[in-house]
Amino acid sequence: ARDGGQQMLANFVMLPLARIHLSSTNPRKTFDPAEMAELEASIRDQGVVIPLIVRPLGDDYELVAGERRTKAATAAGLTEVPVRIMQLDDRQALEMQLIENLHRADVHPAQEAAAYKTLLEQYNYGFEDLAARVGKTEAYIRQRMALVKLTPTCLNAFEAGEIGIGHAKLIAALSPEQQADVLKYATKSQFGGQKPSVRDLRETIARSFGMELKTAPFKTSSETLYPAAGACTKCPKNSTNIGKLFADEDLKKDAQCLDPDCYKIKLQAHITIKIDSGVQPLHGDWNVKKAQPGALLEKDWHETQTGEKGILIDGHKAGRIVNYTLHKHKPSAEAGTGSSDAANRKAAKVATEVHRTILNDIFERQSQMNILHKECFVFIAMALFRNAGQAGRQWLTKLDLPKVKA
């Protein structure tokens, strides 16, 4: 039997505050000082009108619902409060905390999102079941869940009121590195002493990180171009999908990729596939003075209405297929072993195979160390090959390295 001079009050008992321990799983982490002062004054005058909910915790009790009242009662000088003791497991306790907070004082969206994440991941709820349990729509749950992707720094800024929920929704769609850069802009006062609006932030993100998907040279619906990322049309970092998630009409208008690293990987994969199929690689950047193996420098060709097919491998139009004709002067030596397109294509295919071979060799030797992602090795292999020089590349092509599947 539990002691402590408990006094029965209908279905409730009076418990000493000293025997009630706060819960670490309560989704509400912040409390408005003004609201707490008002509640403290009310409790000092009338006492705790609505009993707290607790569950057994050893010889004491853990608070399940009523943390605001508990804190206010302590501040008001009360020594005991009315409680309802319930036998609850961890899942039931968390559900009750979440629902109690949702139906009473507003819980912060980030803390609400963290609680949903716990229910979904630790207690195996589905979105539909969770939405029905807490009385929200499935879309609402998904909107809140998007906020869990905020970095700790951005989350702290959000909870501290330095950025609003509109800013947080946009920032949460970015990579951790991008979030750090955008947060600096979002929290910095502009001319007139005002911080950037949500619209200002949206436009800044689009200018800084956005890659227009409607003009992408590759199929944005492809699931296989970069299997780890899937199709751009379904990607959560597609601005259109972010707009649908948060019911933001401005974001829905122009589909933009907010993950430039993923975009570049898909672009490179697209270029490699085209070169493998026999399309001539063309440099489109006139600043490039030394051609990649098998490629033609920008000064060696010009675009025409008809002619051979080529693919731009750099410049602002990288990945585009164009018709081209060679200039009358002799192409650069790095463009191939001769002036014929067939020789150029053959050299490009050899270069692509060497890229894969180097990558395969590096990946096989290092994969067990789990230091880098596979796409990092792609860039390493290509960079090594590009910078090896003509003699170095010729040497690499003669190495007896394991074959790589296309």
Side-chain angles (χ1 to χ4, degrees):
R2 294 179 182 273
D3 57 12
Q6 298 174 0
Q7 179 183 355
M8 295 301 296
L9 296 175
N11 294 325
F12 308 104
V13 298
M14 296 297 292
L15 271 183
L17 277 168
R19 297 186 60 190
I20 301 174
H21 302 276
L22 298 182
S23 170
S24 61
T25 60
N26 191 341
R28 188 178 183 86
K29 304 297 182 185
T30 57
F31 302 89
D32 184 86
E35 291 181 357
M36 290 300 296
E38 183 179 343
L39 181 58
E40 178 188 336
S42 173
I43 288 177
R44 184 178 287 109
D45 181 46
Q46 302 179 25
V48 176
V49 177
I50 302 175
L52 315 177
I53 296 177
V54 299
R55 63 172 178 164
L57 180 67
D59 291 330
D60 291 327
Y61 300 88
E62 180 184 45
L63 182 68
V64 175
E67 186 167 341
R68 293 174 72 250
R69 283 164 281 157
T70 302
K71 289 179 178 291
T74 301
L78 273 62
T79 59
E80 59 179 12
V81 289
V83 303
R84 181 182 177 188
I85 302 173
M86 299 183 67
Q87 297 291 336
L88 302 170
D89 60 25
D90 290 343
R91 172 172 176 164
Q92 292 168 330
L94 181 59
E95 283 182 347
M96 186 168 289
Q97 288 170 338
L98 176 59
I99 295 169
E100 194 266 350
N101 275 289
L102 288 174
H103 292 166
R104 293 182 183 275
D106 291 339
V107 66
H108 193 280
Q111 296 164 5
E112 184 184 359
Y116 289 146
K117 183 175 185 289
T118 300
L119 286 169
L120 288 164
E121 295 182 356
Q122 294 186 19
Y123 299 113
N124 299 319
Y125 269 91
F127 278 97
E128 185 177 353
D129 295 335
L130 180 57
R133 185 70 180 85
V134 299
K136 301 290 184 180
T137 65
E138 186 175 339
Y140 177 91
I141 301 292
R142 292 185 182 279
Q143 287 178 15
R144 284 293 186 261
M145 280 295 295
L147 297 174
V148 302
K149 295 181 180 179
L150 288 170
T151 63
T153 301
C154 292
L155 184 61
N156 290 338
F158 183 27
E159 292 180 336
E162 297 177 26
I163 57 174
I165 189 168
H167 301 88
K169 291 173 181 178
L170 293 172
I171 295 174
L174 305 174
S175 70
E177 295 78 13
Q178 293 169 346
Q179 288 191 34
D181 292 336
V182 173
L183 181 64
K184 293 177 183 177
Y185 170 76
T187 55
K188 184 178 180 180
S189 296
Q190 306 299 307
F191 293 109
Q194 297 294 319
K195 292 182 180 179
S197 66
V198 174
R199 182 179 292 275
D200 292 335
L201 185 63
R202 182 188 298 115
E203 293 174 352
T204 297
I205 290 174
R207 287 195 302 270
S208 302
F209 306 113
M211 312 289 287
E212 283 197 27
L213 290 174
K214 67 180 179 181
T215 58
F218 51 82
K219 284 187 177 182
T220 57
S221 59
S222 173
E223 299 276 0
T224 58
L225 193 59
Y226 181 29
C232 300
T233 50
K234 300 177 182 178
C235 181
K237 293 191 176 182
N238 179 334
S239 64
T240 296
N241 294 333
I242 298 171
K244 291 176 181 177
L245 178 62
F246 292 116
D248 187 320
E249 294 301 323
D250 287 331
L251 281 172
K252 291 181 185 179
K253 291 178 182 177
D254 297 312
Q256 290 194 328
C257 171
L258 298 181
D259 188 346
D261 291 336
C262 179
Y263 185 96
K264 290 173 185 176
I265 291 173
K266 288 189 174 186
L267 177 60
Q268 188 57 55
H270 163 72
I271 292 172
T272 300
I273 290 171
K274 292 300 182 183
I275 293 175
D276 283 352
S277 69
V279 178
Q280 170 66 42
L282 304 170
H283 284 287
D285 184 352
W286 63 272
N287 288 307
V288 176
K289 303 302 181 184
K290 191 173 183 180
Q292 291 186 21
L296 293 172
L297 286 173
E298 188 270 343
K299 66 183 180 64
D300 293 331
W301 64 275
H302 63 275
E303 188 173 352
T304 57
Q305 294 296 321
T306 58
E308 295 290 332
K309 294 289 184 183
I311 184 167
L312 295 168
I313 60 175
D314 52 30
H316 69 282
K317 292 184 179 180
R320 272 64 176 180
I321 300 292
V322 297
N323 293 316
Y324 77 97
T325 299
L326 291 173
H327 288 162
K328 292 183 180 180
H329 66 75
K330 184 179 179 180
S332 303
E334 286 282 340
T337 56
S339 60
S340 71
D341 290 341
N344 289 334
R345 287 194 294 271
K346 182 177 180 180
K349 192 167 185 179
V350 170
T352 301
E353 180 64 23
V354 173
H355 288 165
R356 285 204 181 106
T357 301
I358 296 172
L359 169 63
N360 187 77
D361 189 55
I362 294 174
F363 187 70
E364 285 187 356
R365 295 172 189 269
Q366 303 292 340
S367 60
Q368 294 183 353
M369 299 176 67
N370 294 321
I371 295 175
L372 297 173
H373 292 297
K374 187 172 182 178
E375 53 263 28
C376 295
F377 292 119
V378 175
F379 292 122
I380 291 172
M382 294 183 67
L384 286 172
F385 192 81
R386 282 198 301 269
N387 292 289
Q390 185 173 9
R393 287 192 286 268
Q394 290 176 350
W395 175 77
L396 285 169
T397 59
K398 296 176 182 179
L399 288 180
D400 185 20
L401 295 172
K403 295 296 182 181
V404 182
K405 293 181 179 180

